Amino acid sequence: MNTVRTTDEESAGARKVAVVTGAGSGIGRAVAVELLTAGWSVALAGRRPEPMAETAAAAPAGGGTALTVRADVSRPEDVAALFGAVRDRFGRLDLLFNNAGTFGPGGVPVEDLPYEAWRHVVDTNLNGAFLCAQAAYRQMKEQDPRGGRIINNGSISAHTPRPHSVAYTATKHALTGLTKSLSLDGRPYGIAVGQIDIGNAATEMTAGMQTGALQANGETAPEPVMDVADVARTVRHMAELPLEANVQFATVMATAMPYVGRG
């Protein structure tokens, strides 16, 4: 079921409209709250209604409008329903933050990775991103005024892998290709597409890094993290640029994390 939180001064036609996938936790929650605080209307998409409701409640009163939509981005019918709900509620779409993703089984060598686990990561991280981008692209191309922006959540792993991360790393490299292709194809229609590659934002997914993460030399070592709010502010900056300008790729990471020189 979809739920809506409105403000007394809401004027849907005057607000920018965003879809944030994986909005129930972590980076997705932080970005959704940042946009809501800035007055955006935001569709919160995710598989579990309760965490999305918590995200909507975390935004301060007097901000934008939150619409929660239960959706598994790996299912084409769920994606179609998500963007249909956004169109029906808000009438247009200005931003897709393609954030939903999974790391998959952690620390599993490639020879031991079950095919089902590989397929789940690919379906979520790559196929889900494609399905959402395709739906957003169609709507942005046809709406009036035409155009919009898609920001894909890549990863430091889109550049340099961690040990035992073949499925995650492969999908994040593929996401870079998706970003470039969509960016090129969107030019005639005012659709700007960029990617943010994030390293060690402090979320539930990275909670173990401060106590110890497997390094390329086989050792386990603690790694620094950064405030996820810094990621959210970067996404908002990218989102609020005029469509004549685009951040094609941005890398936001904990300053001292082992990225440059990893391995």
Side-chain angles (χ1 to χ4, degrees):
M1 176 178 291
N2 303 339
T3 60
V4 179
R5 187 204 70 182
T6 60
T7 65
D8 292 338
E9 300 178 356
E10 177 186 359
S11 175
R15 294 185 184 277
K16 293 288 189 180
V17 178
V19 170
V20 176
T21 65
S25 63
I27 292 167
R29 173 173 289 179
V31 169
V33 170
E34 178 74 17
L35 294 174
L36 286 165
T37 302
W40 286 64
S41 296
V42 183
L44 313 173
R47 293 181 292 108
R48 297 177 295 149
E50 294 81 6
M52 290 188 294
E54 293 171 2
T55 297
T65 301
L67 169 69
T68 64
V69 183
R70 186 186 181 283
D72 180 341
V73 298
S74 69
R75 298 171 61 88
E77 59 272 26
D78 282 18
V79 172
L82 165 63
F83 284 87
V86 172
R87 183 173 55 251
D88 293 344
R89 178 68 182 85
F90 299 119
R92 68 173 289 108
L93 176 64
D94 298 289
L95 171 70
L96 164 65
F97 181 46
N98 235 342
N99 169 71
T102 181
F103 191 83
V108 178
V110 61
E111 66 271 21
D112 296 328
L113 184 69
Y115 175 72
E116 293 77 12
W118 164 272
R119 182 63 182 268
H120 175 65
V121 176
V122 172
D123 281 345
T124 303
N125 295 5
L126 180 57
N127 295 342
F130 163 73
L131 289 169
C132 289
Q134 183 184 55
Y137 188 99
R138 287 169 173 164
Q139 186 166 340
M140 291 171 177
K141 181 179 176 181
E142 296 171 359
Q143 65 193 5
D144 183 22
R146 190 166 67 179
R149 189 180 304 275
I150 298 169
I151 301 174
N152 293 323
N153 183 353
S155 171
I156 294 294
S157 292
H159 305 271
T160 307
R162 288 186 178 276
H164 305 324
S165 66
V166 63
Y168 183 80
T169 297
T171 57
K172 292 304 183 178
H173 274 69
L175 201 63
T176 299
L178 181 70
T179 298
K180 290 180 178 180
S181 188
L182 288 170
S183 184
L184 179 60
D185 292 345
R187 287 178 182 175
Y189 310 109
I191 300 172
V193 185
Q195 181 170 316
I196 182 167
D197 296 327
I198 301 163
N200 288 19
T203 66
E204 298 92 332
M205 188 175 179
T206 62
M209 289 183 177
Q210 291 178 283
T211 56
L214 181 64
Q215 306 297 306
N217 64 0
E219 296 179 357
T220 299
E223 294 187 12
V225 297
M226 64 175 173
D227 192 334
V228 71
D230 294 321
V231 176
R233 284 189 287 268
T234 304
V235 173
R236 178 183 166 191
H237 168 70
M238 296 168 70
E240 292 184 341
L241 289 171
L243 291 178
E244 293 77 19
N246 187 38
V247 175
Q248 187 68 70
F249 291 97
T251 301
V252 183
M253 54 180 252
T255 302
M257 71 169 287
Y259 164 51
V260 178
R262 183 191 290 181

